Amino acid sequence: MTEALQLPVIDLSSPDRLSTAKSIRQACIDYGFFYLVNHGVEEVLISQMFNESKKFFSLQLEDKMKLARKEHRGYTALCDEILDPSSTSGGDPKESFYIGPLEGTLSSMNQWPSLEILPTWRSTMEYYHQKVLSAGRRLIHLLALALNLNEDFFEKVGALDAPMAFLRLLHYPGELVSSNQEVCGASAHSDYGMITLLATDGVPGLQVCREKFNQPRLWEDVPNIKGALIVNIGDMMERWTNCLFRSTLHRVMSSGQERYSAAFFLDPNGDCVVECLESCCSESNPSKFAPIRSGDYIKERIRLTYGS
């Protein structure tokens, strides 16, 4: 039996930015996860997004496969992905749909269901993408303050200049689970990039392991808070901070219930170089990682996940 984790709650609308930044710093050091409230993404929009997501995943497989994943956009079928490369259990029993950046030259790579089949799908997803991106940018400013940097630091190094912002819709079909078998809907993994902002439909399943190098792993449940987004630190932010902020291992356990979620990955511009922050290293604590171009790092992680 796993225990429920009491994560910190961060109010994005708080006028006391320094106090909020201090709370974020502690949350990122202790957990790598926190709840985000008053983020500006209306509950009615989250509900509309999930309704449209359900409509897509309820289509016949042949219709969904017309939008099969290309250039990391579009539909990924059940068991096509394995997030834990060391696992021998086969692909993860979930299906998903990726929507990439909406602005700039990369926007043309996105794939969209036919207006005849799902007339309000694209407009709903674009609006949701824009609103969460706005919340993410505000949060990145506070993360900079939390690292004793100027709040525009990540903009000045080019991270937020046309960031790689991906929305991933996820569907976990509960009926795949045997009553006497423990099944990971999403196998144990950490996220690749800067931060992830997750919305869930309230069905349980998300678990975190705070000490990813310990064996056996201790998993803790992350309960849903209605209206809150669940934020976690990604591997690139861990590299930037020299492991001060932790990119926490997490997974989704199938409960027998159908489950929907939407993960928004806010990652740096592909040309941004991720190197140890001056505020996070010293003579006694030198940089643990070599500088790396963000796009190269993400590309290699995707290759390991999908095997191509």
Side-chain angles (χ1 to χ4, degrees):
M1 178 73 73
T2 56
E3 295 186 5
L5 186 60
Q6 302 300 313
L7 292 173
V9 178
I10 303 298
D11 184 350
L12 191 57
S13 69
S14 171
D16 191 346
R17 294 172 60 76
L18 292 179
S19 176
T20 301
K22 184 178 178 180
S23 297
I24 290 173
R25 180 183 177 90
Q26 201 60 49
C28 293
I29 291 172
D30 292 343
Y31 301 100
F33 268 79
F34 54 87
Y35 296 107
L36 190 69
V37 299
N38 296 322
H39 40 66
V41 186
E42 301 88 350
E43 281 192 50
V44 65
L45 175 57
I46 295 174
S47 178
Q48 289 170 350
M49 178 272 296
F50 278 129
N51 285 337
E52 295 293 336
S53 178
K54 290 173 184 177
K55 289 177 186 177
F56 175 80
F57 288 120
S58 67
L59 296 175
Q60 294 296 315
L61 180 59
E62 62 180 301
D63 291 323
K64 291 184 284 191
M65 290 304 296
K66 292 174 183 176
L67 298 170
R69 186 177 65 91
K70 298 175 187 174
E71 300 294 334
H72 210 52
R73 279 91 167 159
Y75 176 68
T76 301
L78 284 169
C79 302
D80 269 8
E81 173 191 83
I82 183 161
L83 290 170
D84 181 359
S86 68
S87 174
T88 58
S89 62
D92 295 342
K94 66 178 183 302
E95 54 183 344
S96 68
F97 194 98
Y98 281 101
I99 300 167
L102 300 180
E103 298 179 354
T105 57
L106 295 179
S107 64
S108 61
M109 295 182 181
N110 284 319
Q111 302 189 71
W112 303 102
S114 163
L115 286 172
E116 288 73 22
I117 298 174
L118 297 173
T120 56
W121 202 89
R122 177 173 179 172
S123 59
T124 300
M125 296 307 168
E126 287 182 329
Y127 188 46
Y128 181 81
H129 191 293
Q130 291 162 359
K131 294 289 284 189
V132 183
L133 176 57
S134 175
R137 285 181 178 275
R138 291 162 60 201
L139 180 57
I140 291 292
H141 290 161
L142 289 168
L143 279 165
L145 291 177
L147 290 163
N148 301 318
L149 303 166
N150 292 330
E151 65 176 89
D152 62 353
F153 171 84
F154 290 106
E155 290 175 331
K156 285 187 173 179
V157 298
L160 298 182
D161 180 14
M164 298 302 289
F166 278 81
L167 172 60
R168 188 183 192 193
L169 308 172
L170 291 145
H171 174 225
Y172 303 86
E175 71 273 7
L176 292 178
V177 180
S178 168
S179 60
N180 61 355
Q181 186 181 16
E182 188 179 66
V183 176
C184 281
S187 51
H189 66 285
S190 57
D191 292 346
Y192 314 154
M194 291 180 75
I195 58 171
T196 304
L197 301 95
L198 177 76
T200 81
D201 64 354
V203 174
L206 179 63
Q207 297 179 340
V208 303
C209 173
R210 283 186 271 172
E211 302 300 334
K212 57 187 172 186
F213 299 114
N214 287 0
Q215 293 291 342
R217 289 171 175 167
L218 174 64
W219 292 98
E220 299 171 282
D221 290 320
V222 179
N224 183 67
I225 294 181
K226 186 173 173 56
L229 297 174
I230 301 169
V231 176
N232 65 278
I233 296 299
D235 294 342
M236 263 192 284
M237 186 62 78
E238 186 176 70
R239 290 178 72 108
W240 246 320
T241 65
N242 212 25
C243 296
L244 176 67
F245 287 3
R246 62 172 72 192
S247 179
T248 304
L249 204 64
H250 52 286
R251 68 183 185 182
V252 175
M253 295 303 296
S254 297
S255 63
Q257 293 178 270
E258 190 174 29
R259 184 178 187 271
Y260 293 87
S261 64
F264 189 88
F265 303 103
L266 180 49
D267 299 338
N269 178 290
D271 290 324
C272 179
V273 176
V274 178
E275 55 186 329
C276 183
L277 301 170
E278 288 187 11
S279 63
C280 296
C281 61
S282 63
E283 282 189 23
S284 60
N285 182 34
S287 175
K288 299 176 177 67
F289 308 99
I292 191 168
R293 183 177 168 274
S294 169
D296 294 336
Y297 181 80
I298 292 285
K299 190 177 295 183
E300 174 62 12
R301 290 294 300 271
I302 291 172
R303 186 191 68 80
L304 291 171
T305 298
Y306 291 98
S308 63

